[in-house]
Amino acid sequence: MRILALALAVCVVAQGASAKQPRGQKAQPDNERALSGPVGDPNGRWNIEATTTVGECRSLIPPSFDIVGNKIAAAPGPAASFWGYVDEEGTIVARFTGDGERVVRFHGTLRGGRGSGPWSSSTDLCGGTWRASRSAAAAQ
């Protein structure tokens, strides 16, 4: 029963846990509301700070990653492999896979040198939030 409750909590975190909005209005999580303004160019190095809010697990989210051509091109850290992209609206979708088939799904928004969103791992039954900032070297 505990595992079922934990799995449900991970799903809620992954979905952004927002209240139902009237038709035509898209709910926006609190951690994304401050990310307004022009999208800008997402290419460059991004520093990532991930926080676990559900469950207990080692995060596979790297401390930074490089975006080249709107795709994640480098991600140093615990993940054995990675995949991800940023669309024209600044939405990022990524997956980090570790040893033993551990998987973390990561999504959210990159806008104006900042970013945020939820992450979750159905293999480890945990999840949380992340924040990003563009590296000073990338801003030059």
Side-chain angles (χ1 to χ4, degrees):
M1 186 63 154
R2 181 173 175 238
I3 290 175
L4 180 59
L6 188 57
L8 178 60
V10 168
C11 289
V12 168
V13 168
Q15 293 301 317
S18 57
K20 187 172 183 177
Q21 298 291 312
R23 181 170 256 165
Q25 290 182 342
K26 184 178 177 184
Q28 193 173 28
D30 288 338
N31 63 348
E32 291 183 19
R33 284 195 182 117
L35 298 176
S36 59
V39 173
D41 181 6
N43 295 299
R45 169 139 313 162
W46 291 84
N47 297 315
I48 308 299
E49 181 181 325
T51 303
T52 301
T53 58
V54 176
E56 294 180 25
C57 67
R58 293 181 302 130
S59 175
L60 289 173
I61 297 172
S64 67
F65 53 71
D66 294 341
I67 297 177
V68 176
N70 289 22
K71 296 178 182 173
I72 296 179
S81 67
F82 55 86
W83 168 91
Y85 67 91
V86 181
D87 71 13
E88 64 278 350
E89 295 177 8
T91 301
I92 183 169
V93 177
R95 181 182 66 236
F96 302 100
T97 305
D99 56 337
E101 300 301 313
R102 296 178 56 231
V103 176
V104 167
R105 287 174 174 71
F106 173 104
H107 67 278
T109 305
L110 296 178
R111 188 178 297 267
R114 296 182 304 149
S116 66
W119 66 269
S120 66
S121 173
S122 59
T123 56
D124 291 343
L125 300 177
C126 58
T129 59
W130 60 270
R131 290 187 179 277
S133 60
R134 185 184 297 273
S135 173
Q140 297 176 356

